Amino acid sequence: MGTTTPSTTAGLLICEHCDTVYRRRPLARGEVACCERCNFVLERHPRLGPDQLLALTATAMVVFVQANIWPIVTLEFNGRPSSTTLWGTIVTMWRQHAEVVAVLAALTLFFFPLLKMALFGWVFWFARRGERGPGFRSAMIALHYLRPWTMSEVFVLGAMVAIVKARVYFDVVPDPGIFAYGALMLLITVFGGIDLRQLWDVTRERRR
């Protein structure tokens, strides 16, 4: 997906699972084209255009910054409150010799989502003008491989479970950071339903 230009320019769709070839036709709003042989989703009608996707990316970036600078949770024990941010938690895990967990958390909760949003912004910025920006092919390949490595939803669910269990021992107050991550989780879910392959059809190579 996204690694090569699909055959849609010739009016054809090829199933990635069973290689069945179909003649392409325009889809109505909300319509989905599926393979009759293996039921794999071939194409969806694009609900959002490049302008809307760029605005959504900018919103996700703002929420991402807020999620990383605001505290996630405050624990209070014997009248002593203690709050931390995501990076504070990562640094604590590193100092407690949980280096592997700290690195995985930093990659999947910060660096990979940041890179993904930056690439989204890059391709959508040019796509709104019907063009493919420099490095378009490499960006599409990177977005394909980054898709399963943004785990904000796993973090939010894990944090909520931890907050519920910690209430047995501490006074726990969810801070704005966890709510920002919840909003980011919803935005990432929206991006997960976008078929980026359609950018090949609505863009063209830039004139030099």
Side-chain angles (χ1 to χ4, degrees):
M1 294 178 60
T3 56
T4 57
T5 304
S7 303
T8 54
T9 54
L12 301 177
L13 284 173
I14 303 175
C15 179
E16 299 178 9
H17 282 200
C18 64
D19 294 332
T20 304
V21 181
Y22 297 91
R23 188 174 299 280
R24 189 189 186 200
R25 68 170 181 82
L27 299 177
R29 185 176 181 84
E31 195 173 9
V32 179
C34 297
C35 177
E36 293 183 356
R37 185 175 181 182
C38 66
N39 205 37
F40 179 75
V41 175
L42 300 173
E43 189 178 20
R44 299 177 185 270
H45 180 271
R47 297 180 179 179
L48 301 176
D51 286 329
Q52 292 81 11
L53 291 173
L54 182 61
L56 196 63
T57 302
T59 303
M61 184 65 75
V62 172
V63 174
F64 178 80
V65 172
Q66 294 172 334
N68 282 276
I69 63 176
W70 288 343
I72 296 173
V73 67
T74 296
L75 301 178
E76 186 173 342
F77 183 70
N78 289 335
R80 297 181 179 180
S82 176
S83 60
T84 184
T85 61
L86 172 65
W87 275 104
T89 304
I90 292 174
V91 171
T92 300
M93 289 190 295
W94 181 273
R95 291 176 177 173
Q96 294 181 352
H97 307 291
E99 292 88 354
V100 175
V101 178
V103 170
L104 288 175
L107 290 175
T108 57
L109 297 176
F110 184 83
F111 291 108
F112 287 162
L114 180 61
L115 178 59
K116 187 174 182 178
M117 286 183 287
L119 291 174
F120 273 141
W122 180 257
V123 297
F124 294 150
W125 176 262
F126 290 95
R128 62 194 294 268
R129 297 181 292 182
E131 298 179 349
R132 298 173 187 172
F136 178 82
R137 182 182 296 271
S138 299
M140 294 289 282
I141 294 173
L143 285 171
H144 168 67
Y145 286 108
L146 282 173
R147 175 167 295 210
W149 289 102
T150 50
M151 299 185 179
S152 298
E153 63 276 12
V154 178
F155 170 72
V156 172
L157 293 175
M160 293 178 64
V161 172
I163 289 172
V164 172
K165 291 187 176 181
R167 285 183 177 273
V168 178
Y169 308 101
F170 307 97
D171 291 329
V172 183
V173 179
D175 284 330
I178 192 65
F179 296 108
Y181 259 106
L184 182 63
M185 177 187 68
L186 296 178
L187 290 171
I188 290 177
T189 302
V190 173
F191 280 118
I194 298 172
D195 188 356
L196 293 178
R197 295 173 299 178
Q198 294 174 351
L199 289 177
W200 292 101
D201 300 327
V202 300
T203 59
R204 62 184 183 279
E205 294 292 343
R206 297 183 67 198
R207 295 179 180 179
R208 297 181 180 180

